[in-house]
Amino acid sequence: MSERCVVVGAGGISNAWFPPLRQEQVEVCAVVDLRPEAAAAQIAKYQLQAAPRTDLAATLAEFCPDFVVDLTVPAAHREVTCTALRAGCHVVGEKPLADSLPAAREMIRASEESGKLYMVSQSRRWNERHQQVRETLAGGPLGELTTICCDFYMGCHFGGFRDGMDSPLILDMAIHHFDLLRFMTGLDAVAVYAREYNPRGSWYRGDVAAMCLFELSNGAFFSYRGCWAAEGCHTSWNGDWRFTGEHGTLLYDHDQEPHGEVVAGGEGFNRPLAAVEVAPSVTGRPGGMHGALSEMLHFLRTGAVPQTECHDNLKSLAMVECVIESSRSGARVLVPSC
Ligand SMILES: NC(=O)c1ccc[n+]([C@@H]2O[C@H](COP(=O)([O-])OP(=O)(O)OC[C@H]3O[C@@H](n4cnc5c(N)ncnc54)[C@H](O)[C@@H]3O)[C@@H](O)[C@H]2O)c1
């Protein structure tokens, strides 16, 4: 018997969800959107046997799905996810978990009280390169990590909800990079000093650029610089990364295979170096949204808890919140252990 779901939010990102839902033979009972024409258009485009709906609570009572896929804008995640959890449905939601820590805590409470899973789709965790970086670092060739840098610079003219957000870069994009930092290194943030700003010439209302200095759980520093209104010489969407440890450095940029150098013994002003042994790339696993969907289906079939279950993912969102708080207060902010 195939699993049944209701999809909420029929905007741009739903185009990345309907193909894997079909591939996994998940039955989409209904597509809910405040704009009925958007739900109808996606149902027609993907030839779904699904009902277009606007009222989520009534739709869940009508179809009793196994899980809900929340693809709404960040400001709607709390309402949509809490409604679904309280109706007895598991939820896989698009990042970010919520648009604030209080909203996130309410959603986590709703998950605990209902006994239903809330997992976040941090699509980049299921990218094979990121698994390769993680496995390479976990092998320990660099020794203890001391310094990590990530740069993200793109000129993106979206239109839509991001143009009006207070912190579009940090809340809607940097959440990916902060979560990747945790995924690739296994380290958590303990404090941050950050400045958000809106650079001259920006077409966004809010602060679309930031410089952040995080202190990590092992004493290492993580420097994050980013901007979504930077024309020319773009980095990768995944950011361009440098990991330096006691014995060497690993680079991962422009989505290319990671590469690096470690000391090979000997003397000299610059010590002799050898190439880092990079872990083999594991291909064939579902990536992106399909990776998140696979973990939800695996949970439904076996009870195995997905890596982005809300309690863990809160640690990535806390990094976002603390950057915003530090930027507003001008102070170094302690990141709660969650
Ligand atoms: N993982 C990624 O790489 C990635 C990429 C893009 C977007 N996203 C995330 O996906 C989410 C949606 O982004 P998008 O670009 O599709 O936005 P969008 O504006 O194109 O679509 C959002 C849709 O949700 C609907 N909606 C809003 N509030 C609703 C509510 N309360 N009930 C029902 N429908 C509601 C809107 O009418 C709209 O059709 C965001 O959280 C965004 O951060 C993730």
Side-chain angles (χ1 to χ4, degrees):
M1 202 179 70
S2 71
E3 288 80 3
R4 302 165 69 250
C5 80
V6 162
V7 173
V8 193
I13 207 61
S14 68
N15 291 302
W17 281 88
F18 288 119
L21 283 166
R22 170 178 298 248
Q23 222 174 315
E24 295 288 349
Q25 299 180 334
V26 174
E27 183 188 338
V28 180
C29 309
V31 178
V32 180
D33 199 295
L34 298 177
R35 300 178 301 127
E37 69 283 5
Q42 292 300 73
I43 288 171
K45 181 174 174 182
Y46 292 99
Q47 301 176 331
L48 303 170
Q49 304 297 314
R53 293 285 187 271
T54 53
D55 183 331
L56 177 59
T59 306
L60 298 179
E62 182 182 352
F63 292 101
C64 303
D66 297 303
F67 68 102
V68 163
V69 186
D70 179 4
L71 309 182
T72 59
V73 295
H77 289 180
R78 172 189 1 208
E79 182 199 330
V80 167
T81 288
C82 287
T83 300
L85 292 168
R86 288 171 187 146
C89 303
H90 303 295
V91 177
V92 53
E94 263 300 343
K95 45 56 65 174
L97 189 162
D99 65 352
S100 70
L101 277 186
R105 293 212 163 93
E106 185 184 331
M107 294 156 89
I108 290 170
R109 252 195 330 276
S111 168
E112 289 167 352
E113 285 166 9
S114 63
K116 296 294 165 184
L117 171 82
Y118 173 34
M119 68 170 284
V120 179
S121 174
Q122 294 283 172
S123 52
R124 285 155 212 271
R125 279 194 177 224
W126 292 280
N127 173 321
E128 69 191 49
R129 283 268 180 266
H130 301 154
Q131 296 179 24
Q132 197 179 18
V133 172
R134 175 187 163 105
E135 279 156 35
T136 301
L137 293 175
L142 309 183
E144 188 75 44
L145 288 173
T146 61
T147 310
I148 301 150
C149 306
C150 174
D151 278 351
F152 172 78
Y153 286 93
M154 301 202 93
C156 296
H157 297 256
F158 292 104
F161 70 90
R162 295 176 184 85
D163 288 5
M165 290 172 78
D166 291 336
S167 298
L169 173 82
I170 291 298
L171 185 60
D172 202 56
M173 189 63 220
I175 180 69
H176 278 303
H177 304 126
F178 296 170
D179 188 66
L180 274 183
L181 176 274
R182 294 186 52 240
F183 175 70
M184 294 193 293
T185 67
L187 298 171
D188 290 326
V190 295
V192 65
Y193 173 74
R195 291 295 301 272
E196 293 179 277
Y197 59 104
N198 201 16
R200 191 183 297 275
S202 161
W203 48 95
Y204 294 78
R205 187 190 64 73
D207 287 338
V208 76
M211 304 232 175
C212 317
L213 180 62
F214 287 97
E215 295 160 46
L216 303 180
S217 41
N218 72 338
F221 286 90
F222 170 45
S223 148
Y224 178 78
R225 305 184 298 184
C227 180
W228 239 343
E231 302 287 25
C233 301
H234 295 165
T235 63
S236 155
W237 275 99
N238 293 314
D240 290 345
W241 293 78
R242 168 181 287 264
F243 303 88
T244 295
E246 299 161 290
H247 311 310
T249 293
L250 186 77
L251 299 179
Y252 165 53
D253 52 47
H254 288 81
D255 300 333
Q256 299 303 302
E257 175 121 348
H259 61 100
E261 294 176 326
V262 285
V263 286
E267 299 294 325
F269 178 73
N270 294 130
R271 298 298 198 236
L273 297 165
V276 169
E277 212 167 294
V278 172
S281 172
V282 181
T283 52
R285 290 189 204 152
M289 287 68 186
H290 198 161
L293 176 61
S294 295
E295 289 213 20
M296 170 56 93
L297 295 177
H298 190 58
F299 164 76
L300 291 172
R301 293 165 193 168
T302 68
V305 177
Q307 57 181 296
T308 54
E309 192 271 341
C310 57
H311 291 83
D312 184 77
N313 194 252
L314 186 63
K315 295 177 188 167
S316 301
L317 188 72
M319 294 172 74
V320 164
E321 277 283 303
C322 292
V323 164
I324 294 170
E325 190 184 329
S326 170
S327 186
R328 294 199 180 139
S329 67
R332 171 178 172 270
V333 170
L334 297 179
V335 180
S337 55
C338 297

